[in-house]
Amino acid sequence: MTDKCHMCLLGLILLCSLLTGTIGGPLDTHEFCSSGGSVRLPYNNALSDCTSTTWTYSRHLKSVELITLGKKEKDTERLSLDSDCSLNITKVTKEDYGSYTCLRYVNGQGTDARVYLHFLHVSPSSTQIRSGSSVTLSCQLYYDQVYCDTLVRAEGVQLIWVNQAGEDLQTDSRYQISPPGHCDSTLTTTLLDEDNNTEWRCLLTQRNEAKTSAAYIVRYSGKTQNFFNRYWKIIR
Ligand SMILES: *[C@@H]1O[C@H](CO)[C@@H](O)[C@H](O)[C@H]1NC(C)=O
Ligand SMILES: *[C@@H]1O[C@H](CO)[C@@H](O)[C@H](O)[C@H]1NC(C)=O
């Protein structure tokens, strides 16, 4: 009877650890990146070398080995192992978001650590970028195998729109900004003549500390607009 109970309990514990393993356990780490940047996926290795370290990348339930026993699977310059077996990725693209698992074998025993890499991107909703038109910028965090709710509530992730000077635009009446607490955020404004080359930045903070950002720079094409503006002033 007691044996059965023990088996039961053991089963439950196993199930729990399996479940927490797939939906994000407390020891998992989260890293954030944006286009073109570089990122270091930490792995605290107490060993002197990385020859027993394997890094696996997974997204949408598909996995590939990036580093097998300390050796790169593909000859890509974007990946490198740090001396403590952390994985460095340079020239980050959207394709890099997902989860990275580091597996280490010591005396036949495997231990793993998981790092979730999330990608931040800003894009305009319309292609009509000219003075007088309304534009909506969408800031989106791409993530996999975690819930947005976990990121916002447990990890303290926030998206904030700032101008070039780093000032929060939330209270500026010129902008309509979607309510906080989500893994995407929109900024809507009507473009002014003087907005050419203006930068609006979506800043990602984790527990009030800046982690990464993505920006959009307004570019009015050519001189046509200036020409019409001047022409308009003359005939007025
Ligand atoms: C990995 O990234 C860290 C931090 O960006 C840097 O200090 C280190 O030199 C990089 N290592 C390699 C092997 O590129
Ligand atoms: C906007 O700025 C760019 C780059 O400085 C410039 O080439 C372009 O003519 C400007 N457009 C207008 C409408 O002022």
Side-chain angles (χ1 to χ4, degrees):
M1 208 41 190
T2 35
D3 270 0
K4 258 186 196 162
C5 268
H6 277 141
M7 289 302 285
C8 230
L9 200 63
L10 201 66
L12 257 174
I13 291 167
L14 271 175
L15 189 69
C16 279
S17 57
L18 267 177
L19 280 175
T20 48
T22 47
I23 59 168
L27 294 175
D28 296 341
T29 50
H30 296 264
E31 295 293 328
F32 306 89
C33 64
S34 57
S35 188
S38 57
V39 69
R40 182 174 175 272
L41 308 182
Y43 183 62
N44 298 322
N45 193 359
L47 296 176
S48 55
D49 65 27
C50 301
T51 52
S52 56
T53 299
T54 294
W55 275 99
T56 307
Y57 168 70
S58 134
R59 186 168 86 202
H60 303 328
L61 303 174
K62 284 199 195 106
S63 296
V64 285
E65 263 182 26
L66 301 174
I67 308 277
T68 306
L69 301 174
K71 287 235 157 48
K72 269 193 260 186
E73 277 297 314
K74 273 196 298 179
D75 189 29
T76 156
E77 278 181 12
R78 298 202 309 118
L79 299 179
S80 61
L81 272 190
D82 235 343
S83 52
D84 66 351
C85 311
S86 296
L87 184 65
N88 272 14
I89 308 176
T90 56
K91 295 177 190 145
V92 167
T93 74
K94 188 185 156 194
E95 297 312 308
D96 294 326
Y97 82 90
S99 82
Y100 293 76
T101 308
C102 183
L103 192 66
R104 188 181 70 182
Y105 289 102
V106 182
N107 304 328
Q109 287 269 348
T111 56
D112 62 355
R114 196 190 313 228
V115 184
Y116 293 98
L117 184 61
H118 313 297
F119 181 81
L120 191 71
H121 188 67
V122 168
S123 57
S125 61
S126 76
T127 50
Q128 291 264 339
I129 303 298
R130 54 183 167 79
S131 179
S133 70
S134 168
V135 68
T136 294
L137 301 181
S138 164
C139 176
Q140 179 110 32
L141 185 65
Y142 293 87
Y143 53 93
D144 187 47
Q145 297 163 61
V146 287
Y147 300 114
C148 177
D149 216 44
T150 306
L151 294 176
V152 172
R153 273 171 246 294
E155 294 297 321
V157 168
Q158 264 189 305
L159 301 179
I160 299 161
W161 287 96
V162 295
N163 62 15
Q164 250 151 322
E167 293 157 342
D168 193 335
L169 301 176
Q170 187 73 41
T171 53
D172 190 326
S173 59
R174 208 201 130 180
Y175 307 97
Q176 290 90 55
I177 292 172
S178 61
H182 300 275
C183 291
D184 58 82
S185 176
T186 59
L187 173 145
T188 304
T189 192
T190 300
L191 293 170
L192 307 172
D193 278 353
E194 59 265 34
D195 283 337
N196 194 23
N197 301 312
T198 293
E199 177 191 283
W200 288 305
R201 188 168 285 275
C202 176
L203 183 68
L204 184 149
T205 62
Q206 187 183 21
R207 300 184 188 97
N208 299 319
E209 195 185 309
K211 291 289 177 178
T212 193
S213 69
Y216 178 76
I217 300 171
V218 180
R219 292 256 193 260
Y220 296 152
S221 56
K223 295 284 178 203
T224 344
Q225 196 136 13
N226 278 344
F227 171 76
F228 278 116
N229 284 348
R230 252 181 251 135
Y231 183 68
W232 177 239
K233 273 172 198 146
I234 290 164
I235 62 164
R236 256 196 318 192

